[in-house]
Amino acid sequence: MTETFARRLTGLAGIAAAAALIIEVPLYFVYSGPPPDANVLTRLLLAIFSLAFLIVFVTAFRELAKRLNPAYEWVGSMAFATGLVYATVTLVSSGLEAGAVIAADRSIDPTIAVSGTYILYGSIGRVLLTVFLVAVGFGISRTNLLPRWTSRSAYVLAGVNVAFVPSLFFGNDPADFYAANGWGTTASMGAILSSWLLALGISTYRSATRRTPSAGSPALRH
C-alpha cells in the first residue's frame, strides 16, 4: 500500500463512515414515543455500515502512520485497536437492539427496553472513543499527517467524550440530556463525531492529491 493510496483509502473511509452517521442521527429524533420498527432497523443498518467503514478507516490510518514515521507505528496500532474495539462493542449493542425489535410483537424503543446496550454505546463507548481520538490526534501531530487543526480538534472531542463518561449514574431516560442513554450522551455525540470524521476524511483525501508526484518528479523516476 503506497502512501498516496493509504491517504485516499483513509479519507474515503472516513467520509463514508461520517455520511452514514449523518443520515442515521436525525432518525432518533423523528418520533417522541416508541418508533416504528422500520425507523429503528433503518438507523441500526446505517450504524452497521458506518462502523464497517470505521474499521477500514482505522486500518488504513495505522498503515499510514507506519509509513510516515515507523517510530510512531505504536500510535497507529493503538488507534486501530481502540477503534476496532469500539466498532465491535457498538455492533454488539446494535445487534441486541435489532433482535429485540424484530422479536417484539409491538413497537418498542430499544434505547430503553434493551437494558445494558446503552451502557455499551454510552459510557463504555465514550471511554473507547477518548483513547481512539487521543491516539489519532497524537499520531497526526507526530507524523505531520494533516494540518494542526485536525489533531487539536481530536483532543477537544476526546475531552468532550470524557465529560459524558459519568452519565451512567443519571438514569435511562432518552429525553434527558445527560442520562446513560440521553440524547446528549448518545445522539449528540454521534452528530459531533460524524462532523469531525467528515472533515478529517476530506482533509486526508485532499492531502493525497496534493502529495501525488508529477510525471517528471524524482519519486517516479526511482
Side-chain angles (χ1 to χ4, degrees), residues 189-202:
M189 291 305 300
I192 296 172
L193 176 66
S194 64
S195 299
W196 176 82
L197 196 56
L198 178 62
L200 187 73
I202 293 173

Side-chain angles (χ1 to χ4, degrees), residues 9-193:
L9 182 60
T10 304
L12 287 174
I15 293 170
L21 268 176
I22 289 171
I23 299 172
E24 174 199 356
V25 169
L27 297 178
Y28 282 87
F29 299 97
V30 176
Y31 300 94
S32 57
D37 292 358
N39 173 274
V40 178
L41 296 177
T42 298
R43 70 197 192 196
L44 290 176
L45 181 61
L46 288 168
I48 291 170
F49 277 113
S50 177
L51 292 166
F53 287 125
L54 182 63
I55 292 172
V56 177
F57 173 85
V58 298
T59 303
F61 180 83
R62 178 181 63 175
E63 178 67 21
L64 191 53
K66 180 174 68 175
R67 282 192 166 274
L68 290 174
N69 192 333
Y72 291 99
E73 180 181 357
W74 65 271
V75 181
S77 296
M78 183 177 295
F80 168 78
T82 52
L84 186 61
V85 173
Y86 171 76
T88 302
V89 165
T90 310
L91 284 169
V92 169
S93 66
S94 297
L96 292 173
E97 289 191 354
V101 169
I102 293 170
D105 57 0
R106 56 185 174 81
S107 294
I108 64 171
D109 185 350
T111 61
I112 301 175
V114 188
S115 300
T117 57
Y118 41 79
I119 301 300
L120 291 175
Y121 58 70
S123 295
I124 293 175
R126 301 287 74 77
V127 171
L128 291 171
L129 275 179
T130 297
V131 180
F132 168 72
L133 289 164
V134 170
V136 170
F138 187 74
I140 289 174
S141 64
R142 293 299 178 177
T143 61
N144 295 316
L145 169 61
L146 294 170
R148 290 182 179 178
W149 68 264
T150 55
S151 59
R152 291 174 179 173
S153 61
Y155 294 143
V156 171
L157 188 53
V160 175
N161 274 271
V162 168
F164 280 96
V165 173
S167 62
L168 78 168
F169 291 103
F170 293 88
N172 66 335
D173 184 355
D176 291 342
F177 178 79
Y178 200 74
N181 56 346
W183 62 272
T185 309
T186 56
S188 293
M189 291 305 300
I192 296 172
L193 176 66

Side-chain angles (χ1 to χ4, degrees), residues 208-221:
T209 303
R210 291 193 297 267
R211 289 173 179 268
T212 301
S214 61
S217 68
L220 288 182
R221 290 199 298 268

